[in-house]
Amino acid sequence: MAYTDRCRNFVRSLVREQFIKKIRTMNEYLNSALQHPRDQIVLVIRRIYKHGHTTTSGGNISILDENGDIWVTPSAVDKGSLQPSDIICVKKDGTVTGKHKPSSEFPFHKAIYEERPDIKAIIHAHPPALVSFSIVRKIPDTDVISQAEHICGPIGYASYELPGSDALGVVIAREFQKGHMAIIMENHGTVTGGTDLTDAFQRFETLEFCARTILNANILGTPGSLTSRQIGIFESQVFNYLPEMEDVSYPSDERERRSEICRIVHRACDQGLMISSYGTVSCRWRENDFLITPTNVARWDLKPEDIVQIRGGKKEPGKLPSRSTWLHQEIYRQNPQINSIILTQAPYLMAFGVARVNFDVRTIPESWIFLQDVPSMPFGTHFKGETAILDQVASGITALIVQNDSFIVTGQNLLHAFDRLEVAEFSAKSLIMSKSVGELKPINEQQLDDLRVAFKKMIPERKR
Ligand SMILES: [Zn+2]
């Protein structure tokens, strides 16, 4: 290689490294209790923009301060490069401080705060899947996935009014007056409220996820929803059944796993493979002891100290491990070769779980080698005391879909499980996208036999 080419490559690698570092520092934690409203708003608008839920000019976020001031995104400033100094403060007496004009949609933010003293943060945007519902004038069902109805509540519907007008403020505030925390705006978008910005973001992201899942499930077949009884059982799951340990120690190998789990959770959120309201990651520590993510902590903002240690069948005191802890515990106990488990709602995989159709991985060699069969299990088989999933895992199954709930994948380590998750989601996406151009023509038996011979070491072994 010529000297100039080597120099150019070196500079490129430095730039790439700087870029990765920049992305990582941008992935800060949202702390609605301690962060300044302007920092919270910038962090959330970046997330929303990065995930394609808003355009450069669309969408706005506000936070109501304790003294009655409203912090809000500015009008006509690029959402992709918004800085804390761009955020506007509208004082209780109406005076505006900041270097821009407040969002043109500010009137409806104000109207909601006046109507609902319990709401302290509002997100408005035009995310494509929810806009799809708004332009055909429908509300997405939130009972297609387990936690969504609880997170989103009943969804309101505001009829069309001129953007930025007081009339729009009136129809939106009227919907929130009925007790709704989230609404669809006719031929426009969505508004979600929250007791703080973490709460409003979780609701926004979960509602958009439901909409996307339904749209994709419709391509595969007919979306199936959960009954209120099934949702009730999910919400009342006993996740606090483990006794607390008396003495806790945090050796360095234990701490290392905490950080690894956080990195994988953040990576899954960044890559669109996990949403803040659902997902469990665990990692074996010593023998059958393991570390697992907690329940009720927003996944985007998970920190090492939130992770729960499970040792000798007891949990770290004062913490609530994931609802699925029992399942993780049993998988580790019965399968010594498994050291990591990820349970998540990835959008394309969940479309298969909601349409309840077979996920055929005989698409490309990589998918089949990595995953083999991915069974679809009925909702409820992942609850404490159920053995159907354990039997599948014991037989050598590495990944499975729990209908209307999640995708579960195991691995020799966290990265291994994460890799399988990515391969599965890519395959699911390809299968859904291919529907508009033709039927899947899977790899044939002879081609599978050739893969079995050539990739013997990589193919998960089936026991029965
Ligand atoms: Zn708008």
Side-chain angles (χ1 to χ4, degrees), residues 31 48 56 163 192 375 398 412-413:
N31 185 332
I48 290 177
T56 296
T192 64
T398 57
Q412 292 154 14
N413 54 51

Side-chain angles (χ1 to χ4, degrees), residues 58-60 105 108 124-126 163 185 188-189:
N60 32 74
E105 303 284 23
F108 80 66
H124 162 60
H126 317 143
M185 300 161 74
H188 190 151

Side-chain angles (χ1 to χ4, degrees), residues 249-268:
S249 61
Y250 304 99
S252 51
D253 60 334
E254 195 266 16
R255 294 184 215 176
E256 195 174 22
R257 277 162 185 76
R258 284 176 186 264
S259 301
E260 277 174 25
I261 290 175
C262 286
R263 274 200 296 275
I264 285 291
V265 168
H266 296 155
R267 189 163 165 182

Side-chain angles (χ1 to χ4, degrees), residues 284 326-343 373-375 377 381-382 386-402 407-411 420 460-464:
R284 193 193 289 273
W326 180 84
L327 186 66
H328 291 243
Q329 195 176 25
E330 288 303 306
I331 290 176
Y332 289 130
R333 201 176 58 78
Q334 296 177 19
N335 306 277
Q337 80 287 5
I338 293 175
N339 295 313
S340 296
I341 304 165
I342 300 176
L343 182 153
D373 296 335
V374 179
M377 308 296 289
T381 50
H382 56 318
E386 298 288 334
T387 56
I389 289 178
L390 294 173
D391 292 345
Q392 291 282 4
V393 175
S395 77
I397 289 288
T398 57
L400 41 85
I401 291 172
V402 181
F407 175 73
I408 303 178
V409 63
T410 63
R420 281 177 171 161
E461 203 181 317
R462 290 298 302 273
K463 288 167 194 155
R464 57 177 190 270

